[in-house]
Amino acid sequence: MEEYRPIVKELVRRLLFAPTRIQESLGIVPDQAFARIMCENVQASALATLPVCQDTGIVTFYVGHRRLSDDQLDTLRKMFECEFSTYARPSERVPLIDSYHLGTNQLVYVEEIRGRQGLGAIVSGAGTEMHAYLKVYAGTEDFANIVSDLAEWVKRRGALACPPIHISVAIGGTAAEATREAKIGFLFGDSYPSSFETRAAALRDSLRGVPLDPKGGTQSWLGNVYVRLLPGHISAVPVALSMMCWPFRVEWMDVEIG
Amino acid sequence: MRLVEGYWYEFSGVLTIGRDRGLKQACAEKKPFTEVLFLAGPTLDARGSALGSCGPTSVNRMIPMLHDLRALGVRHVIGKGVNAEVIDAFRSVGLGYGVAVGGAGAFYGLKIRRLIDRSYTELGPEGVFLVEVVDLPFYVVVEGVVRDGITKQVQR
């Protein structure tokens, strides 16, 4: 598995010190003062080898492979966890669950990706996880009501994260699958049939009209909106929304694995 | 100095850094605070400098503690996140509130010049840190008054 170490190191470097998609946020900041501090932050992070943001919460490590064994997968996870923990803040478990601190360990979950070869990761600080959304609707629900609920949620929670924020929505499947898929939207973008385009556009337009100003104003600091549609059942249609803060710590590297 | 809503300021001096568990514990033990409280939990830099990255954390989780924090000496809170509930909470308690740029952890970390004291070390980054900062910028959302340290209005 040692052959993957340089790739894992590069993945961690990008996540913590040089997020490759950060320009998708910096390019839309409508406030000069914020933009200046954000740019200085990116430079400071790279120069001082300090994480671009200290808040690394829980990391999801994605592995797209053909035939790794469970042991090999675990070795890969440990390799990532070790490299990430060298620089990041350790995860803090909440007193509701257990009352001790984890020391230097970063909490990392592994997700296997089907149909792709490579390594990736998404860093989920409080700004992204705390403001996530999941609601299950009847299949007969008017789509406009779902859009309205999502817009209300983004309005209530969006400016508590770190705008500009990016949104990923998954509709369908099971509640668990929709939540997982919403996050994967940040990695791989939209996924829906062309017949859904009108509704996806209505959803994007509605979310882009939401005020999301970290200074409490009325401007929208919304960046990308990804939409993914899953096969579902008429009796229950889960809708999940995931937020990504402006440092956009989402990386995927195409690599032949296994 | 009166901090006016809608303006950027920079604070230089001694302030407290804390969040969630550390603040809850300090409030329960009635520990005195500095006038300025920066809601954050830093990376603990293993290379020995003051602290590592230290951007603001969301204020909404700390709203239930605002009364206690004011009673223990806090006059102005710097964090991130604004909505009507947050503004109402600060106004009703009589605390000033300013937003720092969320996600700018490296930038704010480098504003920390000196770690003076550290409490609740068992909580790691969730502990409470007394630090000296220089030119730490924030945007005032709810006005307040700060007497300690040097607070200057700046054009950003």
Side-chain angles (χ1 to χ4, degrees):
Chain A
M1 301 302 289
E2 274 304 306
E3 66 269 30
Y4 299 119
R5 192 175 292 278
I7 301 158
V8 168
K9 278 180 177 284
E10 174 59 16
L11 182 62
V12 169
R13 187 191 71 81
R14 292 183 189 182
L15 286 166
L16 291 177
F17 310 123
T20 55
R21 297 170 68 182
I22 209 162
Q23 199 54 43
E24 292 172 43
S25 300
L26 294 176
I28 60 165
V29 179
D31 181 290
Q32 283 189 354
F34 265 66
R36 205 172 301 129
I37 290 176
M38 288 167 175
C39 288
E40 283 182 39
N41 184 62
V42 173
Q43 291 163 1
S45 170
L47 288 172
T49 326
L50 289 171
V52 67
C53 171
Q54 76 292 333
D55 201 350
T56 43
I58 290 174
V59 180
T60 310
F61 178 48
Y62 294 91
V63 183
H65 67 98
R66 282 205 204 111
R67 50 179 175 271
L68 291 185
S69 67
D70 286 351
D71 284 349
Q72 287 173 314
L73 205 55
D74 196 46
T75 300
L76 212 47
R77 180 189 65 79
K78 284 176 179 160
M79 195 185 286
F80 176 86
E81 189 180 276
C82 180
E83 186 66 23
F84 200 91
S85 298
T86 304
Y87 304 100
R89 188 176 72 183
S91 296
E92 302 142 48
R93 291 191 181 176
V94 295
L96 289 174
I97 299 169
D98 48 37
S99 58
Y100 62 90
H101 188 261
L102 275 175
T104 57
N105 291 336
Q106 171 70 42
L107 203 49
V108 175
Y109 286 103
V110 176
E111 291 266 359
E112 291 176 77
I113 295 287
R114 296 177 290 267
R116 283 177 187 262
Q117 294 271 299
L119 295 178
I122 297 180
V123 175
S124 298
T128 53
E129 283 298 296
M130 191 164 176
H131 312 309
Y133 169 100
L134 172 69
K135 186 173 175 181
V136 182
Y137 295 85
T140 52
E141 184 70 55
D142 188 335
F143 188 69
N145 291 340
I146 296 174
V147 171
S148 172
D149 283 355
L150 288 171
E152 180 59 29
W153 186 253
V154 170
K155 182 181 174 185
R156 280 175 56 198
R157 310 295 295 194
L160 293 171
C162 294
I165 62 166
H166 307 273
I167 299 285
S168 181
V169 176
I171 301 168
T174 63
E177 193 64 23
T179 307
R180 176 183 185 272
E181 198 72 13
K183 198 170 277 290
I184 283 177
F186 293 122
L187 281 176
F188 304 125
D190 293 330
S191 173
Y192 53 80
S194 56
S195 58
F196 195 72
E197 180 54 48
T198 305
R199 285 180 159 177
L203 175 58
R204 287 194 189 93
D205 288 347
S206 181
L207 295 185
R208 291 217 163 95
V210 172
L212 263 183
D213 192 331
K215 293 163 69 180
T218 56
Q219 289 180 305
S220 175
W221 292 46
L222 187 63
N224 303 307
V225 179
Y226 304 109
V227 182
R228 293 176 78 83
L229 201 63
L230 299 163
H233 189 274
I234 187 69
S235 64
V237 180
V239 176
L241 178 148
S242 188
M243 288 187 192
M244 177 52 58
C245 47
W246 75 264
F248 215 140
R249 291 165 298 172
V250 173
E251 301 293 336
W252 176 262
M253 298 166 72
D254 286 320
V255 186
E256 193 82 15
I257 303 278
Chain B
M1 180 180 189
R2 177 165 292 280
L3 308 183
V4 182
E5 288 174 14
Y7 287 90
W8 283 92
Y9 290 85
E10 286 179 351
F11 177 78
S12 298
V14 176
L15 58 71
T16 305
I17 294 174
R19 55 175 285 177
D20 304 81
R21 285 182 67 195
L23 291 183
K24 192 175 175 185
Q25 205 158 325
C27 286
E29 294 173 13
K30 301 201 183 309
K31 293 269 179 79
F33 278 83
T34 53
E35 278 195 336
V36 179
L37 170 65
F38 185 40
L39 300 177
T43 58
L44 304 173
D45 193 342
R47 293 164 302 179
S49 56
L51 291 169
S53 293
C54 191
T57 195
S58 297
V59 69
N60 57 319
R61 300 187 311 276
M62 264 54 80
I63 284 177
M65 304 178 201
L66 293 184
H67 272 288
D68 288 343
L69 290 169
R70 193 179 195 293
L72 294 169
V74 175
R75 291 295 174 267
H76 200 88
V77 175
I78 302 170
K80 70 164 172 141
V82 182
N83 60 20
E85 181 196 0
V86 169
I87 291 172
D88 287 350
F90 275 91
R91 285 189 178 147
S92 68
V93 174
L95 274 177
Y97 176 56
V99 291
V101 177
F107 174 87
Y108 282 100
L110 292 175
K111 299 295 178 188
I112 301 169
R113 290 295 189 267
R114 188 164 64 100
L115 173 61
I116 299 168
D117 192 24
R118 182 179 169 188
S119 309
Y120 313 119
T121 52
E122 71 279 9
L123 298 179
E126 284 253 334
V128 174
F129 304 83
L130 188 66
V131 299
E132 183 184 351
V133 301
V134 175
D135 297 339
L136 186 140
F138 59 97
Y139 176 86
V140 174
V141 175
V142 178
E143 71 171 23
V145 175
V146 173
R147 293 188 178 83
D148 294 343
I150 301 166
T151 311
K152 60 186 181 196
Q153 196 180 96
V154 292
Q155 188 70 40
R156 280 206 158 260

